[in-house]
Amino acid sequence: MNISDKLRLLFHNTESICVLTGAGISAESGVETFRGSNGLWSKLKPEELADFNAFMRNPELVWEWYNYRKKIIHNVKPNPAHFALAHLQELVKDFTLITQNIDNLHIRAGSKNVLELHGNIERSYCIDCGKFVADVEVSLENKVPHCQFCNGIIRPDIVWFGEMLPEGVFEAATEAANQCELFLTIGTSAVVYPAASLPLIARENGAYVVEINMERTEISHSVNETLLGKAGEILPQLVKMKEEIKG
Ligand code: OAD
């Protein structure tokens, strides 16, 4: 890994870090990413599975897909990248973790106050009364779960294409991006907005922006540096560097 002297120094000194993660941080846990030649969206149609109108047309199909993903996610574990970020939170005074992932792996690794931009597959809610339900189990006889209070259809708490982000979450993420000294954008193709605007907002407000990814992305030309490689290898090294300084 080629870390610039500037990043080394900043990483040593800063007490203000904001992190944005995407599907790539969970790839080493065995969760498929969305884009690229092997990504989920190369095999499946998002407009049939991640769209409210598609859900209303065929909730069985959408539930079947989310139950399948839930099973995969339940069977995987956080990887060294998730654990490194949970540890980094303990070492820095102002730390914000923003994720586009719905896989709950940051929380399972011990991260606190995670800003989940796109929801969480462990939660569901009623489309009529809005009440939240934890981890809905869908029985085989009744594939689409219904609300125990009002009998409305229950949907996964996932932000689908064209939907608003959860109230207040993007505002909190923007504030953290505005105020941080160092911004890390990790394992995201940076093509889905508004999440992809966060590194740009940070840069505009004077933060040093570092991308960690296996390849260059849409925003590589707008960041201060890109560290090419696996998040599960790079992040533990970076955090170790910080830990050594803290003594
Ligand atoms: P993508 O699948 O678009 O991008 C994943 C990125 O991770 C790519 O740039 C890969 O190069 C990189 N990557 C893969 N393995 C990596 C590794 N081990 N270490 C570091 N980087 C790695 O995923 P997102 O950018 O998260 O939305 O996609 C954004 C949103 O699009 C998702 O949240 C989802 C999807 O539609 C919703 O579900 C609402």
Side-chain angles (χ1 to χ4, degrees):
M1 178 181 44
N2 229 348
I3 305 179
S4 70
D5 289 344
K6 164 103 190 184
L7 176 57
R8 211 174 276 276
L9 192 68
L10 184 62
F11 208 72
H12 280 175
N13 294 330
T14 189
E15 287 292 340
S16 165
I17 301 180
C18 180
V19 180
L20 171 69
T21 65
I25 197 164
S26 298
E28 290 160 72
S29 292
V31 183
E32 281 175 287
T33 61
F34 294 95
R35 295 172 185 80
S37 50
N38 256 329
L40 286 169
W41 294 155
S42 71
K43 298 172 253 180
L44 300 163
K45 292 187 177 142
E47 63 276 18
E48 284 173 11
L49 298 168
D51 177 284
F52 183 71
N53 292 327
F55 177 70
M56 293 312 283
R57 274 196 306 273
N58 195 347
E60 289 84 4
L61 176 78
V62 176
W63 264 114
E64 203 177 303
W65 191 60
Y66 280 101
N67 280 329
Y68 165 75
R69 290 196 69 205
K70 250 191 217 191
K71 278 197 192 114
I72 293 174
I73 286 166
H74 280 170
N75 287 327
V76 302
K77 293 192 176 76
N79 67 55
H82 298 105
F83 288 116
L85 289 180
H87 188 39
L88 186 59
Q89 183 160 35
E90 309 288 317
L91 302 174
V92 181
K93 212 165 96 212
D94 295 319
F95 183 88
T96 305
L97 176 55
I98 308 161
T99 189
Q100 298 167 86
N101 300 344
I102 49 103
D103 59 26
N104 207 37
L105 288 177
H106 285 303
I107 292 171
R108 282 174 61 194
S111 284
K112 297 181 196 86
N113 309 319
V114 183
L115 295 176
E116 295 171 322
L117 294 178
H118 294 163
N120 187 317
I121 199 162
E122 301 285 330
R123 288 188 307 258
S124 306
Y125 66 90
C126 171
I127 62 169
D128 287 339
C129 72
K131 286 214 171 66
F132 279 86
V133 191
D135 207 4
V136 172
E137 289 297 337
V138 182
S139 78
L140 290 173
E141 304 89 86
N142 178 16
K143 280 180 153 191
V144 178
H146 283 80
C147 179
Q148 57 168 306
F149 302 103
C150 75
N151 206 36
I153 297 179
I154 303 277
R155 62 167 281 178
D157 183 18
I158 309 252
V159 177
W160 288 327
F161 286 99
E163 292 187 319
M164 303 284 284
L165 300 189
E167 210 181 320
V169 179
F170 188 68
E171 290 73 7
T174 307
E175 197 180 325
N178 261 321
Q179 288 175 1
C180 69
E181 268 175 11
L182 176 62
F183 188 101
L184 307 177
T185 171
I186 305 168
T188 174
S189 56
V191 293
V192 173
Y193 281 79
S197 65
L198 292 167
L200 310 176
I201 290 172
R203 180 95 202 258
E204 269 167 31
N205 282 278
Y208 195 74
V209 180
V210 177
E211 173 177 52
I212 299 174
N213 202 302
M214 301 281 284
E215 57 190 33
R216 291 180 65 77
T217 69
E218 291 291 313
I219 53 152
S220 296
H221 61 278
S222 308
V223 304
N224 294 91
E225 54 186 283
T226 296
L227 303 177
L228 285 175
K230 290 185 176 175
E233 290 171 9
I234 294 175
L235 276 168
Q237 286 180 57
L238 279 179
V239 173
K240 192 158 173 256
M241 215 166 76
K242 182 82 179 163
E243 195 178 38
E244 280 165 3
I245 286 299
K246 286 268 169 177

